[in-house]
Amino acid sequence: MGPSVIEVRGLGKRYVLGQQQAAYGSLRDALVQAVRPRRGGRAARGETWALRDVDLTVHQGEALGLIGHNGAGKSTLLRILSRITDPTEGVVRTRGRIGVLLEVGTGFHPELTGRENIFLSGAVMGMTRSDIRRHYDDIVEFAGVERFLETPLKRYSSGMYLRLAFAVAAHLEPELMLVDEILAVGDIEFQRRCIERMSQLSHEGRTVVFVSHDLGAITRLCSRAAWLEHGRIRDDGEPKSIVRDYYSSLMSESGESHFEVQGAAGISHVALVDDDGGLLRSPPRGEPFSLQARVVTSERVPGLDLTMWLTAADGVRVVSETWSDQPDMPELAPAAGEHVVRLHVPPLLRAGDYTLGLWLGTGSHHFMTDGGALRFTVMPQPGDRQDWLTRSRAVQPEVSWSRAPADDRAG
């Protein structure tokens, strides 16, 4: 095992509820705060700990995956490691150059061109101009934005932003690479290339810390996983074992989940239902069912899209579908109001535990991402053999066999 690259001791991060001014802000924020009317005297204030008593050591060459509910503290931990925010208590030490990808275009300037931003980002990471030139062609090829290198970034799509940001962060030889859930907004091919690149970095002896709701990616990429719960590390160890235990803790038999909607769009309710819309707690193997989401909008949101995915207990994503995948689809939410959306799932799933993931957003804005929106169990049918049920397979569709005498004259 190599030397330690990250050392965290007694780490805690506290936020004050109702505090409107961030630890760092802009002149615009200060002016808005100064003229904003004060209502009803002093607002009720409290505090919450996003992280508490976290101890963690990560060694050179390790690929660490951070998993847990939304709000468990994963992104807060990455922001402290990347020195974007300071801890309230405890000690954090990192060694070596850090590559960071927490948001689309982190550290980029929208008025500069793609080429200029490559050199700017490299300089911020401590690279010399000759070092950046040495990797320049690889960055451009990976990002696939050669035609737009002299175009200001403010004219890039979110996908182009993401490709260039990842390409820069991953090719300027960081000793420590920090990646948040941001990869979820890329297409399947781009996600695959990113995973391969991070795996290559790990094999080269560099250290990767990766946050994702795609637990299959965690088990494929990472040599170690840490499970955060309510700001503390609940478990830490071999990824498949941690993912399995995490899924076991999430299993619910309610068949539905409720959410609070904030902003212009959100999902207030998700459920498993039958063909008549009746609630299903545990659908039986070999029978179809639907995933139903109640999408709530306070205004028309052009380009609003919804992705639903199902992940098995071993972290393998067995279903992943997006509203706009099908041709000639109407707008998901053509007007303000509530819209009931169903994804019909054919009888493919084998008996076992599953987790429903949700993403709601547009090409440039994300309203909701939840990899553990609903947990349920597909129950076996009476008479299913145990050895048949436990056989290794991703899905279990209804199949049939046939046999016929061989034609000796053939071939």
Side-chain angles (χ1 to χ4, degrees), residues 259-280:
F259 310 94
E260 181 180 354
V261 176
Q262 297 180 342
I267 296 173
S268 63
H269 178 258
V270 66
L272 304 177
V273 297
D274 58 23
D275 290 342
D276 298 323
L279 185 66
L280 286 174

Side-chain angles (χ1 to χ4, degrees), residues 38-265:
R38 302 182 183 276
R39 300 182 178 90
R42 179 172 295 180
R45 296 169 71 88
E47 63 181 34
T48 182
W49 287 86
L51 294 170
R52 198 72 189 268
D53 298 327
V54 174
D55 293 321
L56 182 68
T57 300
V58 184
H59 294 88
Q60 179 180 333
E62 282 192 306
L64 173 67
L66 299 178
I67 66 174
H69 287 291
N70 286 340
K74 307 181 299 297
S75 295
T76 300
L77 178 56
L78 284 194
R79 280 165 172 75
I80 292 175
L81 293 176
S82 60
R83 303 171 189 170
I84 292 175
T85 188
D86 294 325
T88 304
E89 61 184 22
V91 177
V92 177
R93 297 187 181 93
T94 60
R95 296 178 175 86
R97 184 182 297 116
I98 302 177
V100 180
L101 188 60
L102 305 184
E103 297 177 2
V104 175
T106 299
F108 282 4
H109 195 294
E111 298 295 336
L112 299 180
T113 66
R115 178 183 59 80
E116 291 167 338
N117 270 289
I118 292 174
F119 282 91
L120 172 64
S121 183
V124 168
M125 292 176 58
M127 303 291 291
T128 65
R129 194 170 185 84
S130 60
D131 289 334
I132 299 171
R133 288 190 180 279
R134 181 159 51 90
H135 294 282
Y136 183 83
D137 290 341
D138 292 335
I139 292 171
V140 172
E141 180 181 1
F142 189 97
V145 295
E146 184 174 5
R147 292 176 52 201
F148 307 96
L149 285 174
E150 302 305 324
T151 302
L153 253 69
K154 64 183 180 181
R155 306 196 187 283
Y156 281 32
S157 68
S158 59
M160 294 164 64
Y161 243 110
L162 175 62
R163 292 199 302 272
L164 186 59
F166 184 89
V168 172
H171 285 81
L172 294 183
E173 297 181 341
E175 281 78 26
L176 173 59
M177 183 79 175
L178 305 176
V179 184
D180 205 345
E181 182 65 38
I182 189 65
L183 295 184
V185 305
D187 58 38
I188 296 299
E189 173 61 19
F190 176 70
Q191 292 179 32
R192 181 189 64 79
R193 294 171 63 196
C194 290
I195 294 295
E196 289 178 351
R197 178 58 183 165
M198 287 190 289
S199 178
Q200 180 184 352
L201 289 173
S202 180
H203 289 146
E204 292 173 353
R206 307 183 189 278
T207 305
V208 176
V209 179
F210 180 42
V211 169
S212 179
H213 285 295
D214 184 351
L215 300 185
I218 294 287
T219 57
R220 293 194 304 274
L221 169 67
C222 299
S223 57
R224 176 182 164 199
W227 172 7
L228 272 71
E229 186 173 79
H230 305 304
R232 302 173 187 263
I233 294 182
R234 174 166 169 174
D235 206 354
D236 182 355
E238 193 274 327
K240 289 185 179 179
S241 175
I242 298 296
V243 166
R244 183 176 60 249
D245 292 344
Y246 174 63
Y247 270 124
S248 296
S249 74
L250 298 179
M251 285 303 117
S252 166
E253 295 185 358
S254 66
E256 60 182 339
S257 293
H258 297 268
F259 310 94
E260 181 180 354
V261 176
Q262 297 180 342

